[in-house]
Amino acid sequence: MKSVNLMEKFGQVNGYWRPHLVAEANGQHVRLAKLKNEFVWHSHEQEDELFIVIKGTLTVHFRDRDEIVKEGELLVIPKGVEHMPEAQDEVLLVNITKAETTHTGDTQSDMTVKIDEMPRL
């Protein structure tokens, strides 16, 4: 048991849309990522996804609307809901999801980081 300084860990995150594992609890991954520009449309058929915005403003596009998530806010995306995150400026994000969940969900793209290749902080 040791506390984790999130801002220090964000300083070690390389690249955008590339999650880094910072902690694990109860079969969940706590991942840090820096975001900028558009991601890919995807969904997670078997699990919800939790986004916590530490810095910046994140727009999450859904097929029927957009949701703005500001610094200090969180958003839970229910399983099976297709979405595409976008950040006009850099966003620092904490993502909490099941350990076996790939950040691009059911979509494979050149942005997909395999779980076993995810950097650990």
Side-chain angles (χ1 to χ4, degrees):
M1 293 181 292
K2 187 174 179 183
S3 62
V4 174
N5 182 307
L6 292 176
M7 295 312 287
E8 179 183 299
K9 295 296 184 183
F10 274 116
Q12 299 173 35
V13 172
N14 299 317
Y16 293 119
W17 304 107
R18 185 171 164 79
H20 289 58
L21 180 62
V22 70
E24 297 182 64
N26 298 315
Q28 303 280 313
H29 272 182
V30 179
R31 301 171 182 171
L32 304 184
K34 291 179 180 177
L35 315 179
K36 192 165 183 186
N37 300 318
E38 290 184 348
F39 197 44
V40 295
W41 280 100
H42 67 285
S43 64
H44 305 272
E45 291 305 317
Q46 302 301 317
E47 55 276 327
D48 300 331
E49 189 172 26
L50 171 62
F51 291 158
I52 303 170
V53 174
I54 302 299
K55 179 183 171 202
T57 300
L58 178 67
T59 301
V60 181
H61 300 285
F62 298 99
R63 292 298 182 181
D64 62 343
R65 66 186 179 87
D66 294 340
E67 185 69 26
I68 306 298
V69 189
K70 298 176 185 171
E71 194 169 302
E73 295 181 338
L74 66 82
L75 175 67
V76 175
I77 302 170
K79 64 183 174 184
V81 175
E82 192 175 24
H83 59 285
M84 183 194 66
E86 178 181 11
Q88 294 284 330
D89 298 308
E90 184 176 79
V91 167
L92 302 183
L93 181 86
V94 175
N95 171 245
I96 302 174
T97 191
K98 288 183 180 178
E100 63 270 15
T101 302
T102 303
H103 71 299
T104 56
D106 299 330
T107 301
Q108 292 297 311
S109 81
D110 58 349
M111 297 179 91
T112 301
V113 176
K114 295 178 183 176
I115 294 167
D116 60 347
E117 296 174 2
M118 187 181 309
R120 296 173 188 271
L121 300 174

